[in-house]
Amino acid sequence: MTDRKYKCSVNSNWLNKDFKNDQRDYKYGFKNYELTATELVEVIHSYGYVISYQFDGEIRQEKNFLCTDIVCVDVDNSEEYSSRNRSYEDALQDPLVANNALLIYTTTNHTSEQHRYRIVFGLPKSIIDASDIRALTTGLAIRLAGDLRAVDAARMFFGSKDCQGSILGNEYLDEAIVSDL
C-alpha cells in the first residue's frame, strides 16, 4: 500500500446517504484534504462520509472545481443500464480495475440481486480542468458499465459505513489509459 496522499474533499455532514443537518449539505461543507488510501477507506467505510473532488471554498459546484488526484466510477446496475450490468465480483476480475484501481466499495443500496458499487482510481497527476474529469470519468464509465450521469466535476460519492470493500492498492491509473480516454 502506498503512502501517497490524494487530493479530494470530504463532507462529514453525511452518514451514508443521510445528511445530519439539512439539504444545504448537498452543496456546502466540502473540506479539501490530502488523504492516503487508508485514510480514504476510513472516511468511506468507517465514517460513511461523502467524498468528492477539491473545490475553491467549501461549495460543491463545477465552477468551483479546483483539482483532484482521484476519479470515481459509480456503478448502479439500474434497469436503465440492464444490458451492461456487472457484479461486484466481476468488476474485481476486470484487468482495468485489478491493475489500476485504488479501491472499490459497495454502496448502501447494494444487494445480492442489485449490485451497486464505486470504483476509485488514483491519478498519476492532479487534474485541474473540470472538462478533463468529465472526459476521463465518461471513458471509464463506458468501459466499466458505470453511470454516465455521474461524470461531472462536482459529483459527490456517498460513503457506505461498514460496506464490503477491497483496497486494491494500485497507486494510480496507468498514464497510457488516461491518455487514451
Side-chain angles (χ1 to χ4, degrees):
M1 177 76 64
T2 178
D3 288 333
R4 179 179 172 201
K5 294 195 177 248
Y6 298 90
K7 294 175 183 172
C8 62
S9 68
V10 176
N11 189 326
S12 61
N13 292 323
W14 291 85
L15 175 58
N16 295 327
K17 281 188 142 181
D18 298 321
F19 48 87
K20 296 178 186 175
N21 298 318
D22 59 43
Q23 289 191 330
R24 289 178 289 196
D25 292 334
Y26 275 102
K27 187 174 180 179
Y28 299 99
F30 287 82
K31 295 183 182 354
N32 294 337
Y33 289 97
E34 292 187 21
L35 303 175
T36 64
T38 303
E39 291 168 332
L40 263 172
V41 168
E42 186 175 355
V43 163
I44 294 164
H45 182 274
S46 298
Y47 300 119
Y49 294 161
V50 169
I51 63 169
S52 189
Y53 309 125
Q54 288 194 351
F55 302 100
D56 185 15
E58 293 184 20
I59 302 171
R60 183 184 63 88
Q61 289 180 302
E62 196 163 60
K63 72 179 185 176
N64 293 340
F65 174 80
L66 191 60
C67 67
T68 187
D69 288 338
I70 61 169
V71 65
C72 304
V73 177
D74 194 32
V75 183
D76 282 335
N77 286 324
S78 64
E79 289 190 25
E80 181 178 347
Y81 299 115
S82 60
S83 64
R84 302 173 53 208
N85 284 353
R86 300 181 75 176
S87 71
Y88 177 85
E89 292 76 17
D90 182 46
L92 284 170
Q93 300 304 313
D94 187 307
L96 179 59
V97 175
N99 299 325
N100 292 278
L102 185 62
L103 58 104
I104 182 173
Y105 67 96
T106 57
T107 70
T108 57
N109 292 326
H110 175 82
T111 66
S112 58
E113 298 81 31
Q114 191 76 32
H115 286 229
R116 294 173 186 258
Y117 52 92
R118 291 201 183 83
I119 306 166
V120 181
F121 294 91
L123 297 171
K125 60 183 180 182
S126 296
I127 290 182
I128 59 171
D129 188 319
S131 64
D132 289 342
I133 283 293
R134 184 178 301 278
L136 179 58
T137 308
T138 299
L140 288 169
I142 290 168
R143 294 260 322 263
L144 297 169
D147 185 346
L148 295 172
R149 296 169 298 188
V151 298
D152 59 273
R155 184 61 45 182
M156 65 182 196
F157 302 95
F158 293 103
S160 186
K161 190 170 171 54
D162 300 325
C163 64
Q164 177 183 350
S166 298
I167 300 175
L168 302 175
N170 298 297
E171 189 170 333
Y172 55 82
L173 185 60
D174 186 280
E175 289 186 56
I177 295 170
V178 173
S179 296
D180 287 347
L181 297 173

